[in-house]
């Protein structure tokens, strides 16, 4: 029994439990139907599937040994993690639009834009997951295997290039968000003729939060994406496990960053578990642009 596989299974179990709660809360609460929560629900669903994929991969690896099952589980994991990363990009785009087009954000066009982004994200993710199943694998030619068997080198290169592109787009959008936030703070300061301490603290907190979000995403996925490009299948498998395990932690952290910190979800969680809502507990509803 490989201890790395056990850790991946434990990680998958934690991911599935965390994100299943988020999905249940969003489905349970009719109030959580805004574009922002639709995107958070998409992210939680993708991470939930990724967690289930890690569990199934462990079960089938040690219980049912089959090349077909191996391809299906790997394809399922690729599609799930691709949908998770794509949903993160969609959330970033939504946050940018909520600041850049604040006056027209709450409109039917925004809802259409969100649904279009999600349809495209899940469609592309599904295609990426089907590639190994449809024949892009190294089961019959070990020379083209990558560090992630049974994926080929060209397959993981495509996945890594897609991740790098998404990461650069998110980096650019978050830099633009920081500029907008700082510009808004400066405009408020000009209207009030001085920059108050609260404005400075709020701006600094917003920028710091954006840095944490992007830093967490990059720290989780960059090592694995880089190793997929530069690694060789002859290298010890421990290198693959050591970079893949932190990547799964991103799906474990996502619910904390994007869901559990939100006041509306906290209130819905209170209602879901306690069956009632105490009015004396105050909650502040966050706007989509809150970071």
């Amino acid at each position: 029994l490989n201890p790395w596989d056990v850790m991946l299974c434990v990680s998958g179990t934690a991911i599935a439990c965390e994100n299943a709660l988020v999905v249940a809360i969003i489905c349970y609460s009719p109030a959580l139907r805004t574009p922002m929560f639709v995107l958070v629900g998409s992210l939680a669903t993708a991470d939930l599937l990724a967690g289930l994929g890690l569990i199934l991969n462990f079960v089938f690896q040690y219980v049912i040994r089959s090349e077909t099952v191996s391809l299906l589980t790997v394809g399922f994991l690729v599609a799930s993690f691709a949908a998770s990363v794509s949903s993160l990009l969609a959330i970033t785009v939504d946050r940018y639009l909520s600041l850049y087009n604040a006056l027209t954000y709450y409109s039917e066009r925004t809802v259409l834009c969100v649904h279009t982004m999600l349809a495209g994200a899940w469609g592309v993710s599904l295609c990426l997951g089907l590639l190994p199943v449809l024949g892009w694998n190294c089961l019959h030619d070990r020379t083209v295997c990558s560090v992630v068997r049974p994926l080929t080198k060209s397959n993981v290169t495509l996945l890594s290039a897609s991740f790098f592109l998404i990461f650069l787009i998110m980096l650019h959008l978050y830099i633009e968000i920081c500029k907008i936030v700082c510009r808004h703070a400066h405009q408020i300061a000009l209207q009030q003729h001085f920059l108050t301490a609260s404005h400075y603290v709020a701006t600094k907190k917003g920028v710091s939060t954006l840095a944490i979000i992007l830093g967490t995403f990059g720290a989780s996925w960059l090592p694995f994406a880089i190793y997929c490009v530069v690694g060789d299948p002859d290298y010890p498998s421990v290198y693959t496990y050591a970079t893949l395990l932190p990547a799964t932690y991103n799906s474990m952290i996502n619910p904390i960053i994007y869901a559990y910190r939100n006041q509306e979800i906290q209130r819905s969680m209170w209602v879901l578990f306690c069956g009632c809502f105490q009015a004396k507990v105050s909650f502040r509803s966050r706007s989509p642009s809150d970071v």
Side-chain angles (χ1 to χ4, degrees):
L1 193 64
N2 190 331
W4 287 100
D5 289 328
V6 175
M7 286 189 287
L8 284 175
C9 183
V10 172
S11 178
T13 304
I15 290 169
C17 292
E18 277 186 292
N19 288 281
L21 179 58
V22 176
V23 173
I25 290 172
I26 292 177
C27 294
Y28 170 82
S29 307
L32 304 181
R33 296 292 185 270
T34 62
M36 176 183 66
F37 290 114
V38 171
L39 292 170
V40 172
S42 171
L43 175 63
T45 302
D47 287 332
L48 169 60
L49 294 176
L52 293 176
L54 290 172
I55 297 173
L56 291 175
N57 184 64
F58 176 83
V59 172
F60 289 138
Q61 186 173 356
Y62 289 96
V63 178
I64 304 175
R65 294 181 178 273
S66 168
E67 291 185 351
T68 303
V69 173
S70 176
L71 285 176
L72 289 175
T73 54
V74 169
F76 186 79
L77 283 170
V78 169
S80 301
F81 281 118
S84 175
V85 173
S86 300
S87 295
L88 286 174
L89 175 60
I91 290 176
T92 306
V93 173
D94 178 71
R95 285 180 167 177
Y96 172 75
L97 292 177
S98 69
L99 288 170
Y100 186 76
N101 297 322
L103 297 178
T104 60
Y105 178 79
Y106 294 97
S107 63
E108 292 183 2
R109 189 173 71 174
T110 300
V111 177
L112 177 61
C113 178
V114 167
H115 290 165
T116 302
M117 284 194 299
L118 289 182
W122 282 91
V124 172
S125 301
L126 181 60
C127 291
L128 291 174
L130 285 175
L131 289 178
V133 181
L134 296 178
W136 205 357
N137 58 70
C138 63
L139 292 179
H140 304 294
D141 186 3
R142 299 291 181 179
T143 60
V144 298
C145 276
S146 67
V147 294
V148 184
R149 296 183 178 88
L151 300 182
T152 64
K153 294 178 182 178
S154 56
N155 195 341
V156 297
T157 300
L158 173 63
L159 294 174
S160 297
S162 301
F163 168 79
F164 292 137
L165 177 61
I166 289 176
F167 182 76
L168 290 176
I169 294 174
M170 290 179 62
L171 177 61
H172 172 73
L173 289 176
Y174 274 129
I175 290 175
E176 292 300 318
I177 290 174
C178 288
K179 291 180 180 179
I180 295 174
V181 171
C182 294
R183 186 163 60 248
H184 285 177
H186 181 67
Q187 290 173 350
I188 294 174
L190 291 178
Q191 292 175 358
Q192 298 183 353
H193 304 293
F194 62 92
L195 182 63
T196 63
S198 61
H199 292 150
Y200 174 76
V201 171
T203 303
K204 184 178 179 180
K205 181 181 178 181
V207 174
S208 300
T209 303
L210 291 175
I212 292 173
I213 291 173
L214 192 63
T216 301
F217 176 63
S220 299
W221 278 105
L222 275 175
F224 180 66
I226 294 174
Y227 182 69
C228 283
V229 176
V230 303
D232 189 273
D234 293 330
Y235 292 170
S237 60
V238 64
Y239 296 158
T240 302
Y241 283 113
T243 54
L244 176 60
L245 188 62
T248 65
Y249 292 159
N250 187 66
S251 295
M252 199 181 301
I253 298 172
N254 284 338
I256 300 174
I257 295 178
Y258 295 97
Y260 295 134
R261 291 175 62 248
N262 186 278
Q263 300 292 333
E264 294 293 337
I265 288 184
Q266 290 176 12
R267 179 168 58 185
S268 298
M269 191 184 306
W270 184 280
V271 174
L272 182 64
F273 285 110
C274 300
C276 62
F277 176 69
Q278 297 180 357
K280 65 180 181 179
V281 181
S282 62
F283 291 92
R284 181 181 65 86
S285 179
R286 296 190 176 204
S287 67
S289 59
D290 282 348
V291 294

